[in-house]
Amino acid sequence: MFDQFGEKTRLAMAYALEAARQDGRKSPEAIHFLVGLARANPDLFKKLGLDPEEISKIHAARRGKKLPNSALAGMIPFSENVRLVLKRASEETKKSAHRHVGTGHLLLALFLEDSKTHSIFEKKGITGEKIRMAVADEGQERMFPPQFMNSMRSYTGRSGIGYDLHRLEPGRKLRIGGIEVAFDKGSVGHSDGDVLAHAICDALLGAGGLGDIGTHFPDTDPKWKGADSLEFLRHVRTLYDKEGLHIFHIDAIVIAERPRLGPHFPAMREALAGALGIEIGDINLKAKTNEGVDAIGRGEAIAAYAVASIAG
Ligand code: MG
């Protein structure tokens, strides 16, 4: 989650943690985020007509008072309130089509989700609209390539289809969607035989009008022997960046009689999204069997289809 945070926002998080520690707490509450933001981006507060020093004073005044209990157990050491704030910050970032969660997004989320922040700001006549305007003013890299923002009409939605099939044999590793799946058979191929990565690769190359996987990564080239197919996707990503193409969404089906793939989908989506530099939510995976029919149904092969929707 935090890899989506802009540099200043990360700094604000670090300051928030520091403020929380000063209060003898392991995890920061909303007030600590506010303190962190005021330190990391005082200009934003000044722009809104709020003296950043005032935030420190509010914090100091509240020190010693009982703060809500943090959910320290489990993976996320944040209270429910803070989790809502972070979720909202990332939603607001998406809404403004910005690439990174900026300090403004986090501030807006605190205003919208945390009642204490809301009342501090309300007393100063600061509205959500005012913060939104400051966020827009701050400006940052957009999720879409500049060509897309500048001239929407010159961009068209495009799609591409990809298909792949590999034979399955005992004694080989089964790589699907960039991860290894434990099974008694694995796919036969020049590279790691990742049927899903290959189908996605072809769908993206097709949508971008960039040829096919065989042209870019020929199976006669020893360079690709046993290659990690995520490398193919990373390469496609660099081609997309060069061409100013933007991936909107990928939908794919993996067809295998066995093993059950559904439980592996979260890890696959993470690996694929990571290689392509897109959001996990922009990749959808589905699993099918072939009802015992033909080579796939007999467990002799695995296949995948993918459709990519892009702007180009
Ligand atoms: Mg293949």
Side-chain angles (χ1 to χ4, degrees):
M1 171 184 203
F2 299 118
D3 54 347
Q4 299 295 319
F5 279 36
E7 223 164 275
K8 249 188 212 170
T9 319
R10 287 181 201 212
L11 188 63
M13 294 284 287
Y15 287 149
L17 282 166
E18 196 183 304
R21 263 186 228 118
Q22 283 168 358
D23 283 358
R25 300 182 64 88
K26 281 184 185 162
S27 63
E29 287 298 333
I31 183 69
H32 302 123
F33 281 101
L34 208 53
V35 169
L37 283 170
R39 260 185 91 184
N41 193 356
D43 288 346
L44 176 64
F45 284 70
K46 285 178 199 157
K47 210 187 284 173
L48 290 165
L50 197 67
D51 181 3
E53 283 297 314
E54 211 164 313
I55 301 294
S56 312
K57 282 181 199 152
I58 293 167
H59 175 223
R62 288 188 60 199
R63 190 167 287 161
K65 282 191 190 160
K66 208 175 174 298
L67 289 166
N69 268 331
S70 290
L72 284 171
M75 296 283 286
I76 308 162
F78 290 131
S79 67
E80 186 58 25
N81 185 37
V82 166
R83 263 186 277 170
L84 281 175
V85 168
L86 294 174
K87 192 170 161 250
R88 188 66 183 250
S90 118
E91 282 166 12
E92 291 296 332
T93 306
K94 260 203 160 171
K95 239 190 251 174
S96 57
H98 283 138
R99 193 180 276 277
H100 303 294
V101 177
T103 47
H105 299 115
L106 191 53
L107 190 64
L108 180 60
L110 279 167
F111 174 81
L112 296 170
E113 297 288 346
D114 179 59
S115 57
K116 292 254 167 53
T117 307
H118 199 97
S119 71
I120 293 169
F121 279 44
E122 220 172 25
K123 274 181 211 146
K124 297 277 171 192
I126 300 167
T127 60
E129 209 34 55
K130 230 175 169 179
I131 304 175
R132 268 181 223 280
M133 272 160 68
V135 170
D137 259 12
E138 273 206 311
Q140 56 158 261
E141 205 182 342
R142 297 258 169 184
M143 268 194 288
F144 305 112
Q147 300 95 308
F148 186 77
M149 298 311 289
N150 297 341
S151 163
M152 289 277 256
R153 257 170 303 167
S154 73
Y155 257 75
T156 38
R158 283 152 64 160
S159 46
I161 184 168
Y163 167 77
D164 195 28
L165 179 144
H166 282 258
R167 280 186 294 112
L168 290 173
E169 276 180 8
R172 301 186 76 105
K173 283 181 180 165
L174 182 60
R175 286 267 296 189
I176 310 173
I179 66 158
E180 196 175 320
V181 177
F183 191 48
D184 53 12
K185 287 184 202 174
S187 40
V188 181
H190 183 67
S191 64
D192 62 2
D194 188 332
V195 78
L196 176 57
H198 294 178
I200 291 174
C201 191
D202 251 354
L204 287 169
L205 289 170
L210 298 165
D212 65 9
I213 193 167
T215 326
H216 289 272
F217 317 101
D219 59 10
T220 47
D221 189 340
K223 187 173 151 191
W224 305 117
K225 187 160 168 51
D228 177 355
S229 296
L230 290 183
E231 277 307 318
F232 298 172
L233 295 180
R234 286 185 198 108
H235 181 73
V236 170
R237 174 74 219 190
T238 60
L239 292 176
Y240 262 55
D241 287 342
K242 222 193 293 173
E243 301 286 330
L245 301 170
H246 177 78
I247 302 166
F248 277 137
H249 188 74
I250 290 166
D251 186 26
I253 310 170
V254 187
I255 313 164
E257 211 60 21
R258 277 189 324 123
R260 269 197 70 213
L261 297 176
H264 300 286
F265 280 171
M268 289 183 196
R269 288 169 70 205
E270 201 182 330
L272 295 165
L276 290 169
I278 61 175
E279 299 279 322
I280 292 172
D282 295 334
I283 298 186
N284 187 69
L285 298 178
K286 308 195 287 287
K288 288 268 170 216
T289 70
N290 229 15
E291 298 276 327
V293 176
D294 79 22
I296 295 172
R298 288 190 299 272
E300 294 165 13
I302 181 168
Y305 290 92
V307 170
S309 307
I310 71 157

